[in-house]
Amino acid sequence: MIFANQYIQERIKKRDILKAEGINPYPNQISKGTPSAQFLEECAYLHTLEIGEKSNKDKIYSLTGRIRFIRIMGKAAFAKIEDSAGTVQIYYNRDDLPEGYYNLIKKLIEVGDLIEAKGFAFVTQTGEITLHCASLTIVTKAISPLPEKFHGLTDHELRYRQRYLDMIMNPQIKENFVMRSKIVSLIRRFFEEKSFLEVETPMMHPIPGGANAKPFVTHHNALGIDRYLRIAPELYLKRLIVGGMEAVFEINRNFRNEGMDHTHNPEFTMIEFYWAYHTYRDLIKITEELFAYLFAHLDLPSKLPYGDLEIDFKTPFAVISYTEALTTVGGVPAEIVSDREKALAYLRHHHIKVDANLSLGYLQAELFDEFVENRLVNPTFIIDFPIDISPLARRSDEQSEIAERFELFIAGKEIANGFSELNDPIDQYERFKGQVQTKAATGDDEAMHMDTDYVKALSYGMAPTAGEGIGIDRLVMMLTNQHSIRDVLLFPAMKPEMPTAESEESEQ
RNA sequence: GUCUCGUUAGCUCAGCAGGUAGAGCAAUUCACUUUUAAUGAAUGGGCCCUAGGUUCGAAUCCUAGACGGGACACCA
């Protein structure tokens, strides 16, 4: 039974005593008191008064919050109570509370409980603004004790599994999530101001598409068919462009059935936006604008620390072509970059395992991942991708082997991916077929499926469009100097804990 | 997926030449009416992650597994 622990039993007893004494341990109708920060600010003037007169008994405050510390000294006690604005000290004693109340609740109110304290402000001998209580009400009795007050909760596993407890014990982590919320809100506002329309497209797809990734499979009982949790909203958003919505975006979750690590969670948040009558060059500009907008509204300096690195977010960002980056950043000789056999030999020479049947484009991708990606620290747009690895991107009108595509890298990580969209239905059909063949030939289960309905949509004519996806989780990591995606996700995915024999039995 | 480190009281951690399981905080009881991780005294609290193995004897050594952290690989 989950409440078997002796400390919990001890607290349940106290809850029962409260009830027996006619005190509801879970009363309703409690109004939130003055925020702690406001209380401290309003009473700061007390410090300026004469010694012995540092109080104002005429002004009664109500404070609500969770008890974090209690120091009982016989007939008087100090406690610290915490609300979302911070911590404030309260003082209560036997003679200033209603008759008999102090002795009744002295042992029944404890660390972890939520309380409401009413009284006046004064300054203690040690100079702390404190509420002198005339009444003390239990708002919510906590029956589980909080972790140790000095060291707090440090166990990562417990922090992720019991995020609420993490937030109580490590309130500073809330800053990351406030920042995350602001970033998402600003991104939304930015695109709305640019007259983009926010839309919601299906998360359950009949055919997983829009990215190279393994999907989660679920089942629709009524129809008797499997559905895939979306790996990207891309193909639906482009159907909307065909339908005449000329600027759309969606901010929401995608699901990929792959490994989990410090930069991957099975569900993650992306914004994807599609913009008719624009090209990937316009995307580069609007992405830079978006970063400038975020930095301005978040009031961030242009140079941010990221671990040992310092990242300069000053726009414009560097722009380098894919093949140029291979030589200038990756140090791969130009003749190797452009020759399939030499590229293959070069990769093998560097002990990188590659399939001998891979095309030049795929080999270049291997070279890029190996020699370039993690060297791109400051924001850098890598443009003009090999067409082979860009099955949804438009072919360059000048060079047929090049896709009008870019990826934005920051701190060695891909943050955004955008391109001029392929809108030739016949070309798209052939590229899907190529992907299907790759899937069959190499067993690459991340290669794309044929989506004939999407090709059909294109056949009605999609305006020349540019589209981009930005990984929100990673962006938040960059801007908050966090190195684990779990620290920017409120409830990161965790493996189930192995149930103990005891809990299995009692939960029956 | 690979490597590596970890898992002992509610929390934070000691303990490991193999010999009856420890501390601090928290809890219980007592004292204490301006404390700051309050203080002083006493008491209770453990499937030492799980399953095997070695051994007279395992928290400690070995094997396998579970779950986490970190690094690498793949991906966003």
Side-chain angles (χ1 to χ4, degrees):
Chain A
M1 135 77 164
I2 62 169
F3 297 137
N5 176 278
Q6 56 169 316
Y7 304 99
I8 295 179
Q9 283 301 315
E10 203 67 57
R11 282 171 168 254
I12 288 175
K13 258 184 237 159
K14 292 179 181 180
R15 162 192 176 274
D16 294 340
I17 293 170
L18 285 166
K19 285 193 156 188
E21 293 288 342
I23 298 172
N24 183 355
Y26 303 99
N28 204 353
Q29 304 257 353
I30 300 283
S31 307
K32 177 173 162 52
T34 305
S36 56
Q38 184 187 334
F39 169 76
L40 293 174
E41 194 183 322
E42 283 180 17
C43 299
Y45 77 95
L46 295 176
H47 285 300
T48 65
L49 302 181
E50 291 298 315
I51 288 170
E53 294 177 10
K54 291 175 188 274
S55 67
N56 178 2
K57 296 186 180 173
D58 297 331
K59 171 87 173 154
I60 299 300
Y61 282 95
S62 165
L63 302 177
T64 47
R66 186 186 300 276
I67 300 178
R68 296 303 307 278
F69 300 92
I70 291 188
R71 295 180 281 275
I72 294 175
M73 290 155 303
K75 299 176 187 65
F78 286 89
K80 294 252 166 142
I81 65 175
E82 183 168 65
D83 63 10
S84 60
T87 309
V88 65
Q89 180 165 264
I90 63 168
Y91 169 78
Y92 53 104
N93 64 35
R94 189 192 61 188
D95 298 337
D96 296 325
L97 288 174
E99 178 87 37
Y101 191 72
Y102 177 84
N103 283 328
L104 175 64
I105 53 85
K106 184 165 75 170
K107 294 292 177 61
L108 301 180
I109 291 183
E110 54 200 328
V111 172
D113 295 347
L114 299 176
I115 61 163
E116 178 192 57
K118 288 182 179 166
F120 65 87
F122 75 111
V123 178
T124 63
Q125 286 176 0
T126 48
E128 180 162 353
I129 293 169
T130 300
L131 188 82
H132 189 123
C133 297
S135 80
L136 210 50
T137 308
I138 292 207
V139 172
T140 302
K141 180 71 192 159
I143 60 167
S144 281
L146 292 180
E148 197 244 354
K149 61 187 174 187
F150 188 53
H151 297 94
L153 187 69
T154 60
D155 186 297
H156 280 92
E157 182 170 356
L158 288 179
R159 292 183 58 188
Y160 297 139
R161 288 191 196 278
Q162 293 180 268
R163 181 65 92 182
Y164 48 90
L165 194 56
D166 187 25
M167 290 165 71
I168 293 169
M169 298 311 293
N170 304 301
Q172 72 285 356
I173 64 137
K174 284 189 272 189
E175 290 168 19
N176 288 341
F177 298 109
V178 169
M179 186 70 159
R180 180 183 177 117
S181 176
K182 282 182 184 166
I183 289 168
V184 171
S185 171
L186 285 167
I187 292 173
R188 181 170 276 123
R189 202 165 88 196
F190 175 84
F191 282 100
E192 284 173 349
E193 285 172 4
K194 297 264 178 203
S195 299
F196 280 74
L197 185 73
E198 181 170 13
V199 295
E200 293 169 277
T201 63
M203 293 211 185
M204 295 200 290
H205 290 186
I207 298 169
N212 297 312
K214 280 179 244 172
F216 284 93
V217 187
T218 185
H219 190 75
H220 190 152
N221 289 338
L223 299 184
I225 52 171
D226 284 344
R227 293 266 118 138
Y228 302 92
L229 298 190
R230 74 171 176 201
I231 54 175
E234 170 150 356
L235 301 184
Y236 281 96
L237 292 172
K238 284 193 277 191
R239 283 175 173 94
L240 298 178
I241 300 285
V242 172
M245 290 179 168
E246 294 180 347
V248 294
F249 74 97
E250 180 163 7
I251 301 177
N252 220 316
R253 227 62 70 76
N254 296 290
F255 308 87
R256 298 192 183 174
N257 206 341
E258 293 162 355
M260 290 158 56
D261 63 24
H262 59 111
T263 56
H264 294 85
N265 197 65
E267 50 183 306
F268 65 102
T269 302
M270 271 210 300
I271 173 171
E272 287 203 7
F273 61 97
Y274 290 83
W275 204 11
Y277 303 106
H278 289 81
T279 72
Y280 78 127
R281 292 279 176 182
D282 300 312
L283 294 178
I284 288 176
K285 286 200 202 84
I286 203 174
T287 303
E288 287 173 338
E289 253 185 83
L290 173 64
F291 271 85
Y293 184 90
L294 288 176
F295 273 68
H297 286 84
L298 295 169
D299 207 18
L300 291 172
S302 68
K303 288 185 182 175
L304 290 182
Y306 191 68
D308 299 333
L309 304 172
E310 183 183 66
I311 303 174
D312 188 351
F313 285 91
K314 192 170 182 304
T315 55
F317 298 156
V319 180
I320 313 177
S321 84
Y322 203 86
T323 48
E324 191 188 338
L326 285 173
T327 53
T328 60
V329 179
V332 181
E335 70 271 17
I336 285 168
V337 169
S338 58
D339 186 298
R340 203 193 80 91
E341 299 305 323
K342 285 181 182 169
L344 185 61
Y346 188 83
L347 282 162
R348 295 245 156 112
H349 177 71
H350 284 85
H351 308 292
I352 298 157
K353 283 183 218 150
V354 283
D355 193 309
N357 297 318
L358 290 180
S359 66
L360 178 60
Y362 275 96
L363 292 175
Q364 288 175 339
E366 294 288 342
L367 289 169
F368 188 89
D369 291 347
E370 183 65 25
F371 300 108
V372 180
E373 183 164 355
N374 58 14
R375 296 189 191 173
L376 300 171
V377 173
N378 285 331
T380 305
F381 290 105
I382 299 295
I383 62 169
D384 298 340
F385 272 57
I387 197 88
D388 322 18
I389 58 170
S390 312
L392 298 167
R394 174 188 280 263
R395 218 176 269 279
S396 161
D397 290 344
E398 287 80 33
Q399 292 172 267
S400 66
E401 288 313 299
I402 295 292
E404 285 202 4
R405 173 183 177 193
F406 71 86
E407 287 188 353
L408 173 62
F409 291 89
I410 304 173
K413 294 272 186 274
E414 181 191 338
I415 294 294
N417 179 12
F419 39 86
S420 303
E421 303 295 338
L422 176 61
N423 65 347
D424 176 344
I426 303 298
D427 192 352
Q428 180 66 76
Y429 180 68
E430 295 300 328
R431 299 234 213 139
F432 273 144
K433 274 200 342 201
Q435 287 279 315
V436 171
Q437 278 166 10
T438 302
K439 204 179 181 63
T442 65
D444 178 359
D445 53 6
E446 292 181 359
M448 293 184 183
H449 296 73
M450 170 64 72
D451 189 338
T452 50
D453 184 74
Y454 173 68
V455 174
K456 186 170 161 189
L458 289 187
S459 76
Y460 286 91
M462 180 173 78
T465 297
E468 177 174 345
I470 302 174
I472 300 292
D473 311 282
R474 290 200 180 164
L475 178 63
V476 175
M477 286 167 68
M478 297 291 155
L479 299 187
T480 55
N481 195 12
Q482 294 300 320
H483 295 254
S484 171
I485 197 169
R486 291 181 156 178
D487 292 318
V488 298
L489 292 169
L490 284 167
F491 298 99
M494 301 289 280
K495 287 192 198 176
E497 290 173 286
M498 190 174 56
T500 62
E502 184 197 333
S503 70
E504 270 185 338
E505 232 170 75
S506 56
E507 300 300 325
Q508 297 293 317

